[in-house]
Amino acid sequence: MIDVAAFQRDGYVIAPQLFSADEVECFRAALARVEAGEYRTGRRPTLDLPIPPDPSALRKIDNAWWADPDLASLATDKRLGEIAAALLDTPTVRLWQDQLLDKPPTGVDTGNIGWHQDWDSWKTVASRDAFVTAWVALDDVDEVNGAMQVIPGSHAWGHVPGASNFLGTDVDAQLARLGGEPRHLCMRAGEASFHHVLTFHGSGPNKSKRPRRSLAVHLVAGDVTAIDEGEGWRHYNLGLLQSRGRGVGDAYADDELWPVVFRA
């Protein structure tokens, strides 16, 4: 079903078509509701950027699945979980978080996503790097409307301290410092790419007149536990775990916060 060897070699892989046109249309409608502040579950997402709103900038909403049952069905879809389990070689996969990403068709650099490794955001709260991201395209994506780019093989570099900047807009300068030859992941709506937690990825502006919407679904092996290391900002999942009376050494295993997406 998925080319595990290619993922291990390149740090990413594109899956066969997973979602039908009808499913994609359902997800697009849910995305629009959440962006408009309509939360059908009565539960707000954890983060909605930018603050203040900027129609020329990338819209990023964390844990959009909290707010809408149709986005929840996408973020917890067993098809994503089964692929993640194969890539992570683990029997149980949970949802770590999702991110709704809407890149406006303005052609300006405020719509960019800076080069980064996902692990840079999670390494101080997670016991090991057993994560994979499923990036689900809700529109056709190509070089013109800002398809995600990856640096093939960059997962083999390990964690590169200080090199990640998700909100960075000067992606060319970032890339010059990193090196490597980027590759655009051109996909049709309903397809999904999967990338390693250490793979450098980012994207340029949407220079088209078309939308560029996606849901990034971050998935984690079920045995990953909480740590508390480093100084400064901590990913909010540690605080959520602590709010349930648990903490360092405990698994991120609360079904309301990190539901099981696949179990062998």
Side-chain angles (χ1 to χ4, degrees), residues 31-156:
L31 179 149
R33 288 193 296 268
V34 173
E35 287 191 326
E38 179 185 343
Y39 306 141
R40 290 194 169 182
T41 63
R43 191 181 184 192
R44 299 180 64 87
T46 51
L47 187 65
D48 188 346
L49 297 176
I51 301 172
D54 180 355
S56 72
L58 174 78
R59 183 83 177 268
K60 183 174 93 76
I61 300 178
D62 287 8
N63 284 324
W65 75 275
W66 284 12
D68 194 280
D70 291 329
L71 289 183
S73 72
L74 170 54
T76 60
D77 192 284
K78 186 178 179 180
R79 290 167 285 188
L80 300 178
E82 187 174 7
I83 292 172
L87 297 177
L88 293 171
D89 191 23
T90 185
T92 305
V93 172
R94 289 182 178 271
L95 174 62
W96 175 252
Q97 68 174 94
D98 71 0
Q99 293 178 324
L100 182 161
L101 301 168
D102 189 347
K103 187 186 290 284
T106 59
V108 297
D109 61 7
T110 50
N112 292 352
I113 296 176
W115 290 98
H116 65 285
Q117 296 173 305
D118 292 334
W119 183 235
D120 196 71
S121 296
W122 307 329
K123 62 184 178 63
T124 62
V125 301
S127 58
R128 63 191 185 97
D129 61 356
F131 294 77
V132 66
T133 295
W135 194 94
V136 182
L138 300 183
D139 298 292
D140 295 349
V141 289
D142 53 35
E143 295 184 25
V144 180
N145 73 339
M148 183 167 68
Q149 301 175 57
V150 300
I151 301 177
S154 57
H155 64 304

Side-chain angles (χ1 to χ4, degrees), residues 17-36:
Q17 186 85 22
L18 294 178
F19 301 101
S20 69
D22 287 344
E23 287 176 305
V24 168
E25 194 55 45
C26 174
F27 301 148
R28 288 170 178 166
L31 179 149
R33 288 193 296 268
V34 173
E35 287 191 326

Side-chain angles (χ1 to χ4, degrees), residues 177-259:
R177 289 191 294 270
L178 288 171
E181 292 293 329
R183 183 172 301 169
H184 286 84
L185 302 190
C186 299
M187 297 189 292
R188 302 300 298 268
E191 290 186 318
S193 64
F194 290 77
H195 64 261
H196 192 282
V197 73
L198 291 171
T199 298
F200 271 98
H201 56 291
S203 60
N206 181 352
K207 297 179 181 179
S208 75
K209 297 186 182 301
R210 297 175 283 124
R212 190 278 211 183
R213 298 162 290 186
S214 65
L215 193 74
V217 183
H218 302 300
L219 301 165
V220 61
D223 62 352
V224 169
T225 59
I227 64 171
D228 187 1
E229 293 184 357
E231 299 178 357
W233 182 82
R234 300 285 194 283
H235 189 270
Y236 49 72
N237 274 355
L238 178 60
L240 289 171
L241 187 70
Q242 292 169 332
S243 74
R244 298 300 174 97
R246 286 173 285 158
V248 171
D250 292 319
Y252 288 96
D254 188 298
D255 289 340
E256 185 179 0
L257 296 171
W258 307 287

